[in-house]
Amino acid sequence: MRETAESQRLPARYMAQLVDYLESTGIDRSSVLRAARIRSLDDPKAQLTLRQVEALLRAGEMASGRTDLGFELGRRLNPTSHDTLGFALLTCPTFGHVLRLMASYQRLIQPAFALRVQRRGSRVDLVYLPVVALQHRSMRMFQEAITASNHFAFQSMLHGELPPYDVWLSIDRPPHAGRYEELSRARVHFGDAAPGVRMSLDAALLDAPLAMANARAMHAAEERCKAMLRHT
């Protein structure tokens, strides 16, 4: 049985980055928060229900007149956005370790999608499946944020050496689809029959070494992630 939009919560720090962006474009921060009936996003430990996330997205779209806020959010997220898990990701010895941690601790990033990493011959697939019933606006935001954030994070970790890859999203082609040209080397497919997002990468990347590798630091951070997961 799926969880509900009230039982699952998202760290408020992610949506705070979106509100920061809207404010940088001249949109009044307090008006957006007031429209979403959210008092503040300033507490680093604050969490939002998925219903509040939907309300905040609606308020942001109405204030900005834009539909690409999920993509914009994804562009602004990077491993440091993920608190302790981000430190673990940055200190992984290989890209394969990064994918393992992402799949194991996906709930610390967001609870709406589960992540499976599947090896298929010369390919490795990241399969994001929705585990919570979402309204259309939230579904679009999550899929676009996942796609954009993964692309830019992987590009950075691999020093710009991310080979061409395919990504399938189940959402319909959005009005701002042209923005996906910013994802260099990505072949983006909309309207996929399978729900969620699937990203197919060259499996040779699994053994790619990472610049900030520190096995001891990674294991220490992962132990903290395990403890955090037990309390979600």
Side-chain angles (χ1 to χ4, degrees), residues 54-67:
E54 173 74 17
L56 190 55
L57 285 172
R58 182 170 59 250
E61 288 188 358
M62 291 182 65
S64 65
R66 294 171 54 172
T67 60

Side-chain angles (χ1 to χ4, degrees), residues 170-220:
S170 62
I171 59 171
D172 292 335
R173 182 180 180 86
H176 54 272
R179 291 212 62 183
Y180 282 82
E181 294 179 7
E182 298 174 36
L183 308 187
S184 59
R185 299 188 174 185
R187 295 179 291 262
V188 183
H189 313 275
F190 295 103
D192 193 59
V197 176
R198 178 164 61 94
M199 185 177 189
S200 183
L201 304 168
D202 186 341
L205 292 173
L206 294 173
D207 297 323
L210 301 186
M212 294 178 62
N214 185 325
R216 187 179 297 275
M218 184 200 75
H219 288 308

Side-chain angles (χ1 to χ4, degrees), residues 36 58 70 90 95 121 132 138 183 186 198 229:
R58 182 170 59 250
L90 288 171
F95 187 68
V132 177
S138 293
L183 308 187
R198 178 164 61 94
L229 199 60

Side-chain angles (χ1 to χ4, degrees), residues 93-108:
T94 68
F95 187 68
H97 283 82
V98 169
L99 300 188
R100 178 186 68 80
L101 290 180
M102 286 176 60
S104 298
Y105 303 102
Q106 186 64 204
R107 281 179 64 87
L108 297 181

Side-chain angles (χ1 to χ4, degrees), residues 49-77:
T49 66
L50 294 180
R51 194 180 304 279
Q52 288 175 309
V53 170
E54 173 74 17
L56 190 55
L57 285 172
R58 182 170 59 250
E61 288 188 358
M62 291 182 65
S64 65
R66 294 171 54 172
T67 60
D68 63 343
L69 297 184
F71 186 94
E72 198 64 57
L73 174 60
R75 286 190 76 252
R76 281 161 170 71
L77 297 180

Side-chain angles (χ1 to χ4, degrees), residues 135-180:
Q135 296 187 48
H136 174 74
R137 184 183 285 105
S138 293
M139 178 66 78
R140 186 181 71 228
M141 183 278 289
F142 276 111
Q143 291 194 30
E144 294 200 78
I146 286 169
T147 302
S149 64
N150 279 356
H151 176 88
F152 291 109
F154 295 169
Q155 278 277 52
S156 178
M157 289 177 179
L158 298 168
H159 304 288
E161 298 298 322
L162 181 62
Y165 69 92
D166 289 277
V167 58
W168 292 265
L169 296 82
S170 62
I171 59 171
D172 292 335
R173 182 180 180 86
H176 54 272
R179 291 212 62 183
Y180 282 82

